[in-house]
Every structure is written in structure tokens, then in C-alpha cells.
Coordinates of all heavy atoms in Angstrom, one line a residue:
M1 N 151.9 127.0 102.6 CA 151.8 125.8 101.7 C 150.5 125.8 100.9 O 150.2 124.9 100.2 CB 151.8 124.5 102.6 CG 153.2 124.2 103.3 SD 153.2 122.7 104.3 CE 152.9 121.5 103.0
G2 N 149.8 126.9 101.0 CA 148.7 127.1 100.1 C 147.5 126.2 100.5 O 147.3 125.9 101.6
P3 N 146.6 125.9 99.5 CA 145.3 125.2 99.8 C 145.4 124.0 100.7 O 144.5 123.8 101.5 CB 144.8 124.9 98.4 CG 145.4 125.9 97.5 CD 146.8 126.2 98.1
P4 N 146.5 123.2 100.6 CA 146.5 122.0 101.5 C 146.4 122.3 103.0 O 146.0 121.5 103.8 CB 147.9 121.3 101.2 CG 148.2 121.7 99.7 CD 147.6 123.1 99.6
Q5 N 146.8 123.6 103.3 CA 146.8 123.9 104.7 C 145.4 124.1 105.3 O 145.2 124.2 106.5 CB 147.6 125.2 105.0 CG 149.0 124.9 105.2 CD 149.8 126.0 105.9 OE1 149.8 127.1 105.5 NE2 150.4 125.7 107.1
W6 N 144.4 124.1 104.4 CA 143.0 124.1 104.9 C 142.7 122.9 105.8 O 141.9 122.9 106.7 CB 142.0 124.1 103.7 CG 141.9 125.4 103.1 CD1 142.3 125.7 101.8 CD2 141.3 126.6 103.6 NE1 142.0 127.1 101.5 CE2 141.4 127.6 102.6 CE3 140.8 126.9 104.8 CZ2 141.0 128.9 102.9 CZ3 140.3 128.2 105.1 CH2 140.5 129.2 104.1
S7 N 143.5 121.8 105.5 CA 143.3 120.6 106.3 C 143.8 120.8 107.8 O 143.2 120.3 108.7 CB 144.1 119.4 105.7 OG 145.5 119.6 105.8
D8 N 144.8 121.7 107.9 CA 145.2 122.1 109.3 C 144.1 122.7 110.1 O 143.8 122.5 111.2 CB 146.4 123.0 109.3 CG 147.6 122.4 108.6 OD1 147.6 121.2 108.3 OD2 148.6 123.1 108.4
L9 N 143.4 123.6 109.4 CA 142.2 124.3 110.0 C 141.1 123.3 110.4 O 140.6 123.4 111.5 CB 141.7 125.4 109.1 CG 140.6 126.2 109.6 CD1 140.9 126.9 110.9 CD2 140.2 127.3 108.6
G10 N 140.9 122.4 109.5 CA 139.9 121.3 109.8 C 140.3 120.5 111.0 O 139.4 120.2 111.9
M11 N 141.6 120.2 111.1 CA 142.0 119.4 112.3 C 141.9 120.3 113.5 O 141.6 119.7 114.6 CB 143.5 119.0 112.0 CG 143.5 117.9 110.9 SD 145.2 117.6 110.4 CE 145.8 116.6 111.8
L12 N 142.2 121.6 113.5 CA 142.1 122.4 114.6 C 140.6 122.4 115.1 O 140.3 122.3 116.3 CB 142.5 123.9 114.3 CG 142.2 124.9 115.3 CD1 143.1 124.7 116.6 CD2 142.4 126.3 114.8
I13 N 139.7 122.6 114.2 CA 138.3 122.7 114.5 C 137.8 121.4 115.1 O 137.2 121.3 116.1 CB 137.4 123.0 113.3 CG1 137.7 124.5 112.8 CG2 135.9 122.9 113.6 CD1 137.2 124.8 111.4
Q14 N 138.3 120.3 114.5 CA 137.9 119.0 115.1 C 138.4 118.7 116.5 O 137.7 118.2 117.3 CB 138.3 117.8 114.1 CG 137.8 116.5 114.6 CD 138.0 115.4 113.6 OE1 139.1 115.3 113.0 NE2 137.0 114.6 113.5
N15 N 139.7 119.2 116.7 CA 140.2 119.0 118.0 C 139.5 119.8 119.1 O 139.2 119.4 120.2 CB 141.7 119.4 118.1 CG 142.6 118.3 117.5 OD1 142.2 117.2 117.4 ND2 143.8 118.7 117.0
I16 N 139.0 121.0 118.7 CA 138.2 121.8 119.6 C 136.9 121.1 119.9 O 136.4 121.0 121.0 CB 137.9 123.2 119.0 CG1 139.3 124.0 118.9 CG2 136.9 124.0 119.8 CD1 139.2 125.3 118.1
M17 N 136.3 120.5 118.8 CA 135.1 119.8 119.0 C 135.2 118.6 119.9 O 134.4 118.3 120.7 CB 134.5 119.3 117.6 CG 134.1 120.5 116.7 SD 133.8 120.1 115.0 CE 132.2 119.3 115.2
L18 N 136.4 117.8 119.8 CA 136.6 116.7 120.6 C 136.8 117.1 122.1 O 136.3 116.4 123.0 CB 137.8 115.9 120.1 CG 137.5 115.2 118.7 CD1 138.9 114.6 118.2 CD2 136.5 114.1 118.9
L19 N 137.6 118.2 122.3 CA 137.8 118.7 123.6 C 136.5 119.1 124.3 O 136.3 119.0 125.5 CB 138.9 119.8 123.6 CG 140.3 119.4 123.3 CD1 141.2 120.6 123.0 CD2 140.9 118.6 124.5
A20 N 135.6 119.7 123.5 CA 134.3 120.2 124.0 C 133.6 119.0 124.5 O 133.0 119.0 125.6 CB 133.5 120.9 122.9
R21 N 133.6 117.9 123.7 CA 132.8 116.6 124.2 C 133.4 116.1 125.5 O 132.7 115.7 126.3 CB 133.0 115.5 123.1 CG 132.2 115.8 121.8 CD 130.7 116.0 122.1 NE 130.1 114.8 122.8 CZ 129.3 114.9 123.9 NH1 129.1 116.1 124.5 NH2 128.8 113.8 124.4
E22 N 134.7 116.2 125.6 CA 135.4 115.8 126.9 C 134.9 116.6 128.1 O 134.8 116.1 129.2 CB 136.9 115.9 126.7 CG 137.7 115.2 127.7 CD 139.2 115.3 127.4 OE1 139.7 116.5 127.5 OE2 139.8 114.3 127.1
Q23 N 134.5 117.8 127.8 CA 134.0 118.7 128.9 C 132.4 118.7 129.0 O 131.8 119.5 129.7 CB 134.4 120.2 128.6 CG 135.9 120.4 128.6 CD 136.5 120.0 129.9 OE1 136.0 120.4 131.0 NE2 137.7 119.3 129.9
G24 N 131.8 117.7 128.3 CA 130.3 117.6 128.3 C 129.6 118.6 127.5 O 128.4 118.8 127.6
L25 N 130.3 119.3 126.6 CA 129.7 120.2 125.7 C 129.4 119.7 124.3 O 130.1 118.7 123.9 CB 130.6 121.5 125.6 CG 130.7 122.3 126.9 CD1 132.0 123.2 126.8 CD2 129.5 123.2 127.1
E26 N 128.5 120.2 123.6 CA 128.2 119.8 122.2 C 128.6 121.0 121.3 O 128.7 122.1 121.7 CB 126.7 119.6 122.0 CG 126.1 118.6 123.0 CD 126.4 117.2 122.8 OE1 126.9 116.9 121.7 OE2 126.0 116.4 123.6
T27 N 128.9 120.6 120.0 CA 129.3 121.6 119.0 C 128.5 121.4 117.7 O 128.0 120.3 117.5 CB 130.8 121.6 118.7 OG1 131.1 120.3 118.2 CG2 131.6 121.9 119.9
C28 N 128.5 122.4 116.9 CA 128.0 122.3 115.5 C 128.7 123.3 114.6 O 128.5 124.5 114.7 CB 126.5 122.6 115.4 SG 125.8 122.3 113.8
P29 N 129.6 122.8 113.7 CA 130.3 123.7 112.8 C 129.4 124.2 111.7 O 128.6 123.4 111.2 CB 131.4 122.8 112.2 CG 130.9 121.4 112.3 CD 130.0 121.4 113.5
Q30 N 129.5 125.5 111.4 CA 128.6 126.1 110.5 C 129.3 127.0 109.5 O 129.6 128.2 109.8 CB 127.5 126.9 111.2 CG 126.7 126.0 112.1 CD 126.0 126.7 113.3 OE1 126.5 127.8 113.7 NE2 124.9 126.2 113.8
E31 N 129.6 126.5 108.3 CA 130.3 127.3 107.3 C 129.4 128.4 106.8 O 129.8 129.4 106.2 CB 130.8 126.4 106.2 CG 132.1 125.7 106.5 CD 132.6 124.8 105.4 OE1 132.0 124.9 104.2 OE2 133.4 124.0 105.6
S32 N 128.1 128.2 106.9 CA 127.1 129.2 106.3 C 127.3 130.6 106.9 O 126.9 131.6 106.3 CB 125.7 128.7 106.5 OG 125.4 128.5 107.9
W33 N 128.0 130.7 108.1 CA 128.3 132.0 108.6 C 129.2 132.8 107.7 O 129.2 134.1 107.7 CB 129.0 131.9 110.0 CG 128.0 131.6 111.1 CD1 127.9 130.4 111.7 CD2 127.1 132.5 111.7 NE1 126.9 130.5 112.7 CE2 126.4 131.7 112.7 CE3 126.8 133.8 111.6 CZ2 125.4 132.3 113.5 CZ3 125.8 134.4 112.4 CH2 125.1 133.6 113.3
A34 N 130.0 132.1 106.9 CA 130.9 132.8 105.9 C 130.1 133.7 105.0 O 130.7 134.7 104.5 CB 131.7 131.8 105.2
I35 N 128.9 133.4 104.7 CA 128.1 134.3 103.8 C 127.9 135.7 104.4 O 127.8 136.6 103.7 CB 126.7 133.6 103.6 CG1 126.9 132.2 102.9 CG2 125.8 134.5 102.8 CD1 125.6 131.4 102.8
W36 N 127.8 135.7 105.7 CA 127.6 137.0 106.4 C 128.9 137.5 107.1 O 128.8 138.1 108.1 CB 126.5 136.8 107.5 CG 125.2 136.5 106.8 CD1 124.4 137.4 106.2 CD2 124.5 135.2 106.8 NE1 123.2 136.8 105.7 CE2 123.3 135.4 106.1 CE3 124.8 134.0 107.3 CZ2 122.4 134.4 105.8 CZ3 123.9 132.9 107.0 CH2 122.7 133.2 106.3
H37 N 130.0 137.3 106.4 CA 131.3 137.7 107.0 C 131.4 139.1 107.4 O 131.9 139.5 108.4 CB 132.5 137.2 106.2 CG 132.5 137.9 104.8 ND1 133.3 139.0 104.6 CD2 131.9 137.6 103.7 CE1 133.1 139.3 103.3 NE2 132.3 138.5 102.7
K38 N 130.8 140.0 106.5 CA 130.9 141.4 106.8 C 130.1 141.8 108.1 O 130.5 142.5 108.9 CB 130.3 142.2 105.6 CG 131.3 142.3 104.4 CD 130.7 143.2 103.3 CE 131.5 143.0 102.1 NZ 130.8 143.3 100.8
E39 N 128.9 141.2 108.2 CA 128.0 141.5 109.3 C 128.6 141.0 110.6 O 128.6 141.6 111.7 CB 126.6 140.9 109.1 CG 125.8 141.6 108.1 CD 126.1 141.2 106.6 OE1 127.0 140.3 106.4 OE2 125.5 141.7 105.7
V40 N 129.2 139.7 110.5 CA 129.9 139.1 111.7 C 131.1 140.0 112.1 O 131.2 140.3 113.3 CB 130.3 137.7 111.4 CG1 131.1 137.1 112.6 CG2 129.1 136.8 111.1
A41 N 131.9 140.4 111.2 CA 133.0 141.3 111.5 C 132.6 142.6 112.2 O 133.2 143.0 113.2 CB 133.9 141.6 110.3
E42 N 131.5 143.2 111.7 CA 131.0 144.4 112.3 C 130.5 144.1 113.7 O 130.7 144.9 114.6 CB 129.8 144.9 111.4 CG 129.4 146.3 111.7 CD 128.3 146.8 110.7 OE1 128.4 146.6 109.5 OE2 127.3 147.3 111.2
F43 N 129.7 143.0 113.9 CA 129.2 142.7 115.2 C 130.3 142.5 116.2 O 130.2 142.9 117.3 CB 128.3 141.5 115.1 CG 127.7 141.1 116.4 CD1 126.5 141.7 116.9 CD2 128.2 140.0 117.1 CE1 125.9 141.4 118.1 CE2 127.6 139.6 118.3 CZ 126.5 140.3 118.8
L44 N 131.4 141.8 115.7 CA 132.5 141.4 116.7 C 133.5 142.6 116.8 O 134.3 142.6 117.7 CB 133.2 140.2 116.2 CG 132.3 138.9 116.2 CD1 133.1 137.7 115.6 CD2 131.9 138.5 117.7
G45 N 133.4 143.5 115.9 CA 134.3 144.7 115.9 C 135.7 144.2 115.5 O 136.7 144.7 116.0
V46 N 135.8 143.3 114.5 CA 137.2 142.8 114.1 C 137.4 143.3 112.7 O 136.5 143.8 112.0 CB 137.3 141.3 114.2 CG1 137.1 140.8 115.6 CG2 136.3 140.6 113.2
D47 N 138.7 143.3 112.2 CA 139.1 143.7 110.9 C 138.3 143.0 109.8 O 138.3 141.8 109.7 CB 140.6 143.4 110.8 CG 141.2 143.9 109.5 OD1 140.4 144.3 108.6 OD2 142.4 143.8 109.3
P48 N 137.5 143.8 109.0 CA 136.7 143.1 108.0 C 137.4 142.4 106.9 O 136.9 141.7 106.1 CB 135.8 144.3 107.5 CG 136.5 145.5 107.8 CD 137.4 145.2 109.1
S49 N 138.8 142.7 106.8 CA 139.5 142.0 105.8 C 139.9 140.5 106.3 O 140.4 139.8 105.5 CB 140.8 142.7 105.5 OG 141.7 142.7 106.6
L50 N 139.6 140.2 107.5 CA 139.9 138.8 108.0 C 138.9 137.9 107.3 O 137.8 138.2 107.1 CB 139.7 138.7 109.5 CG 140.8 139.4 110.4 CD1 140.4 139.3 111.9 CD2 142.1 138.8 110.2
M51 N 139.4 136.7 107.0 CA 138.5 135.7 106.4 C 137.8 134.9 107.4 O 138.3 134.5 108.4 CB 139.4 134.7 105.5 CG 138.5 133.7 104.8 SD 139.5 132.4 104.0 CE 140.3 133.3 102.7
L52 N 136.5 134.8 107.2 CA 135.6 134.0 108.2 C 135.4 132.7 107.5 O 134.7 132.6 106.5 CB 134.3 134.7 108.4 CG 133.3 133.9 109.2 CD1 133.8 133.5 110.6 CD2 132.0 134.7 109.4
F53 N 136.0 131.6 108.0 CA 135.9 130.3 107.4 C 134.6 129.6 107.9 O 133.8 129.1 107.1 CB 137.1 129.4 107.8 CG 136.9 128.0 107.3 CD1 136.9 127.7 106.0 CD2 136.8 127.0 108.2 CE1 136.7 126.4 105.5 CE2 136.6 125.6 107.8 CZ 136.6 125.4 106.4
C54 N 134.4 129.6 109.2 CA 133.2 129.0 109.7 C 132.9 129.4 111.2 O 133.8 129.8 111.9 CB 133.2 127.4 109.6 SG 134.0 126.5 110.9
G55 N 131.7 129.2 111.6 CA 131.3 129.4 113.0 C 131.3 128.1 113.7 O 131.3 127.0 113.0
L56 N 131.3 128.1 115.0 CA 131.2 126.8 115.7 C 130.3 127.0 116.9 O 130.7 127.7 117.9 CB 132.6 126.4 116.2 CG 132.7 125.0 116.9 CD1 132.3 123.9 115.9 CD2 134.1 124.8 117.4
A57 N 129.1 126.6 116.8 CA 128.2 126.7 118.0 C 128.7 125.8 119.1 O 129.2 124.7 118.8 CB 126.8 126.2 117.5
L58 N 128.7 126.3 120.3 CA 129.2 125.5 121.4 C 128.3 125.7 122.6 O 127.9 126.8 122.9 CB 130.6 126.1 121.8 CG 131.3 125.6 123.1 CD1 131.8 124.2 122.9 CD2 132.4 126.6 123.4
G59 N 127.9 124.6 123.2 CA 127.0 124.8 124.4 C 126.5 123.4 124.9 O 127.0 122.4 124.4
Y60 N 125.6 123.4 125.8 CA 125.0 122.2 126.3 C 123.9 121.7 125.5 O 123.0 122.5 125.1 CB 124.6 122.3 127.8 CG 125.8 122.6 128.7 CD1 126.1 123.9 129.1 CD2 126.6 121.5 129.1 CE1 127.2 124.1 129.9 CE2 127.7 121.8 129.9 CZ 128.0 123.0 130.3 OH 129.1 123.3 131.1
G61 N 123.9 120.5 125.0 CA 122.8 120.0 124.2 C 121.5 119.8 124.9 O 121.5 119.5 126.1
D62 N 120.4 120.1 124.1 CA 119.1 119.9 124.7 C 118.6 118.5 124.2 O 118.2 118.3 123.1 CB 118.1 121.0 124.1 CG 116.7 120.8 124.6 OD1 116.4 119.8 125.3 OD2 115.9 121.6 124.2
T63 N 118.8 117.5 125.1 CA 118.5 116.1 124.7 C 117.0 115.9 124.6 O 116.7 114.9 124.0 CB 119.1 115.2 125.7 OG1 118.7 115.5 127.0 CG2 120.7 115.2 125.7
A64 N 116.2 116.8 125.1 CA 114.8 116.6 124.9 C 114.2 117.1 123.6 O 113.1 116.7 123.2 CB 114.0 117.4 126.1
A65 N 115.0 117.9 122.9 CA 114.6 118.4 121.6 C 114.7 117.2 120.5 O 115.7 116.6 120.3 CB 115.5 119.5 121.1
P66 N 113.5 116.9 119.8 CA 113.5 115.8 118.9 C 114.6 116.0 117.8 O 115.2 115.0 117.4 CB 112.1 116.0 118.2 CG 111.3 116.6 119.3 CD 112.2 117.6 120.0
I67 N 114.9 117.2 117.4 CA 116.0 117.4 116.3 C 117.3 116.8 116.8 O 118.1 116.4 116.0 CB 116.1 118.9 115.9 CG1 116.9 119.0 114.7 CG2 116.6 119.7 117.1 CD1 116.4 118.4 113.4
N68 N 117.5 116.9 118.1 CA 118.8 116.4 118.6 C 118.9 114.9 118.8 O 119.9 114.4 119.2 CB 119.2 117.1 119.9 CG 119.5 118.6 119.6 OD1 119.9 118.9 118.6 ND2 119.2 119.4 120.6
R69 N 117.8 114.2 118.4 CA 117.8 112.7 118.4 C 118.0 112.2 117.0 O 118.1 111.0 116.8 CB 116.5 112.2 119.0 CG 116.5 112.4 120.6 CD 115.4 111.5 121.2 NE 114.1 112.0 120.9 CZ 113.4 112.9 121.7 NH1 114.0 113.4 122.7 NH2 112.2 113.3 121.4
L70 N 118.2 113.1 116.0 CA 118.4 112.7 114.7 C 119.8 112.1 114.6 O 120.8 112.6 115.0 CB 118.3 113.9 113.7 CG 118.7 113.6 112.2 CD1 117.6 112.8 111.6 CD2 118.9 114.9 111.5
R71 N 119.9 110.9 114.0 CA 121.2 110.2 113.8 C 121.3 110.0 112.3 O 120.5 109.3 111.7 CB 121.3 108.9 114.5 CG 121.3 109.1 116.1 CD 122.6 109.8 116.5 NE 122.6 110.1 117.9 CZ 122.2 111.3 118.4 NH1 121.8 112.3 117.6 NH2 122.2 111.5 119.7
T72 N 122.3 110.6 111.6 CA 122.5 110.4 110.2 C 123.3 109.2 109.9 O 124.1 108.7 110.8 CB 123.2 111.7 109.6 OG1 124.4 111.9 110.3 CG2 122.3 112.9 109.7
D73 N 123.1 108.6 108.7 CA 123.9 107.4 108.3 C 125.3 107.7 108.1 O 125.7 108.9 107.8 CB 123.3 106.9 107.0 CG 121.9 106.3 107.2 OD1 121.5 106.0 108.3 OD2 121.2 106.3 106.1
R74 N 126.2 106.8 108.3 CA 127.6 106.9 108.1 C 128.0 105.8 107.1 O 127.6 104.7 107.2 CB 128.4 106.7 109.4 CG 128.2 107.8 110.4 CD 128.9 109.1 110.0 NE 128.9 110.1 111.0 CZ 127.9 111.0 111.1 NH1 126.9 111.0 110.3 NH2 128.0 111.9 112.0
A75 N 128.8 106.2 106.1 CA 129.3 105.2 105.1 C 130.3 104.3 105.8 O 131.0 104.7 106.8 CB 130.1 105.9 104.0
A76 N 130.3 103.0 105.4 CA 131.2 102.1 106.0 C 132.7 102.5 105.6 O 132.9 103.1 104.5 CB 131.0 100.7 105.5
S77 N 133.6 102.3 106.5 CA 135.0 102.8 106.2 C 135.6 102.2 104.9 O 136.4 102.9 104.3 CB 135.9 102.4 107.4 OG 135.9 101.1 107.6
D78 N 135.2 101.0 104.5 CA 135.7 100.5 103.3 C 135.2 101.2 102.0 O 135.6 100.9 100.9 CB 135.6 98.9 103.2 CG 134.1 98.5 103.2 OD1 133.2 99.4 103.2 OD2 133.9 97.3 103.2
A79 N 134.2 102.1 102.2 CA 133.7 102.9 101.1 C 134.6 104.0 100.7 O 134.5 104.6 99.6 CB 132.3 103.4 101.4
F80 N 135.5 104.4 101.7 CA 136.4 105.5 101.4 C 137.9 105.3 101.7 O 138.7 106.1 101.6 CB 135.9 106.8 102.1 CG 135.8 106.7 103.6 CD1 136.9 106.9 104.4 CD2 134.6 106.3 104.2 CE1 136.8 106.8 105.8 CE2 134.5 106.2 105.6 CZ 135.6 106.4 106.4
A81 N 138.2 104.1 102.2 CA 139.5 103.8 102.6 C 139.9 102.3 102.3 O 139.0 101.5 102.3 CB 139.7 104.0 104.1
V82 N 141.2 102.1 102.0 CA 141.6 100.7 101.8 C 142.7 100.5 102.8 O 143.6 101.3 103.1 CB 142.3 100.6 100.4 CG1 142.9 99.2 100.2 CG2 141.3 101.0 99.3
F83 N 142.5 99.3 103.5 CA 143.4 99.0 104.6 C 144.3 97.8 104.2 O 143.9 96.9 103.6 CB 142.6 98.6 105.9 CG 141.8 99.7 106.4 CD1 140.4 99.8 106.1 CD2 142.3 100.7 107.2 CE1 139.7 100.9 106.5 CE2 141.6 101.8 107.7 CZ 140.2 101.8 107.4
H84 N 145.6 98.0 104.4 CA 146.6 96.9 104.0 C 147.2 96.4 105.3 O 147.5 97.2 106.2 CB 147.7 97.5 103.1 CG 147.2 98.0 101.8 ND1 147.1 97.2 100.7 CD2 146.8 99.2 101.4 CE1 146.6 97.9 99.7 NE2 146.4 99.2 100.1
D85 N 147.4 95.1 105.4 CA 148.0 94.5 106.6 C 149.5 94.7 106.5 O 150.1 94.7 105.5 CB 147.7 93.0 106.6 CG 146.3 92.7 107.0 OD1 145.7 93.6 107.7 OD2 145.7 91.7 106.5
Ligands
FMN101 C1 133.6 122.6 108.9 C2 132.1 122.3 108.8 C3 131.2 123.3 108.5 C4 129.8 122.9 108.4 N1 128.9 123.9 108.0 C5 127.6 123.6 107.9 C6 126.6 124.6 107.5 O1 127.0 125.8 107.3 N2 125.3 124.3 107.4 C7 124.9 123.0 107.7 O2 123.7 122.7 107.6 N3 125.8 122.0 108.0 C8 127.1 122.3 108.1 N4 128.0 121.3 108.5 C9 127.5 120.0 108.8 C10 126.9 120.0 110.3 O3 127.8 120.7 111.2 C11 126.7 118.6 110.8 O4 127.8 117.9 110.6 C12 125.5 118.1 110.1 O5 124.4 118.8 110.6 C13 125.3 116.6 110.3 O6 125.4 116.3 111.7 P1 126.1 114.9 112.0 O7 127.5 115.1 111.5 O8 126.0 114.8 113.5 O9 125.3 113.9 111.3 C14 129.4 121.6 108.6 C15 130.3 120.7 109.0 C16 131.6 121.0 109.1 C17 132.6 119.9 109.5

């Protein structure tokens, strides 16, 4: 289905992230890994013609680290969605 199927990949990644939280793990999706797709393919020993969309850090969060106490703002839902009764 072409470009719209990128949304399927996003949903897959999000589901993995939600399942990780259920298991007490934290995640951080990182598209910047795509810049180093050749190096990553070489390190992992996979076909370099495969597309690297993003990495996903997975592990136990360090709650003592100040950076992990950062909370970013969220737009209110009415800024991007319209709800009809
Ligand atoms: C698919 C995806 C890829 C991302 N890639 C990067 C990235 O390469 N570098 C980066 O700084 N943030 C990236 N982000 C954003 C961070 O993962 C994270 O959402 C951001 O640090 C804000 O954290 P917060 O959502 O908990 O506020 C990405 C987010 C998503 C959903």
C-alpha cells in the first residue's frame, strides 16, 4: 500500500513500547540510528540492503538520573483532534 504503511510500523513499535512498560521496562525510539545504517548492518551481520527505520533502546530506567525526571509538555487533545458526540 506504499507510504501509508509506515503507520503500521509506527503502531508495531508503539505496541512493543507498551508491552515493555507492562513488563517494567523503559524504551526510547531513536530514528537517528538510520544515519548509521551501514555500520549497524555490518555490526549485526545483516544484509546491508535492508532498510533501518529506527532503533529502540530497551532496558530498566535509571530513576536517579536527573535526565530521566524530565517531563515534556503535551498539547491538549483539542489542539489536534475534533470530537463529535
Ligand atoms: C519512531 C521515533 C523515533 C525517534 N527518534 C528520535 C531520535 O532519533 N532522536 C531523538 O532525539 N528523539 C527521537 N525520538 C523522540 C524520543 O524518542 C522521545 O520521544 C523524546 O526524547 C521525548 O521524550 P518524551 O516523548 O518522553 O517526552 C523518536 C520518537 C519516535 C516515536
Side-chain angles (χ1 to χ4, degrees):
M1 292 179 65
Q5 274 200 301
W6 285 112
S7 65
D8 296 354
L9 182 54
M11 291 169 76
L12 170 71
I13 294 167
Q14 184 168 45
N15 283 338
I16 293 169
M17 294 170 74
L18 290 171
L19 288 167
R21 289 303 301 131
E22 197 175 64
Q23 298 298 318
L25 293 159
E26 308 283 350
T27 61
C28 183
Q30 299 157 333
E31 282 179 12
S32 55
W33 283 103
I35 299 168
W36 294 286
H37 63 97
K38 285 183 189 152
E39 290 81 359
V40 172
E42 192 178 312
F43 182 78
L44 295 176
V46 298
D47 184 348
S49 69
L50 290 174
M51 182 186 291
L52 173 57
F53 174 68
C54 81
L56 184 66
L58 174 72
Y60 293 101
D62 178 358
T63 53
I67 190 66
N68 289 333
R69 285 197 289 273
L70 175 72
R71 293 293 173 265
T72 52
D73 293 336
R74 294 288 186 267
S77 58
D78 61 4
F80 59 86
V82 177
F83 298 96
H84 297 274
D85 291 329

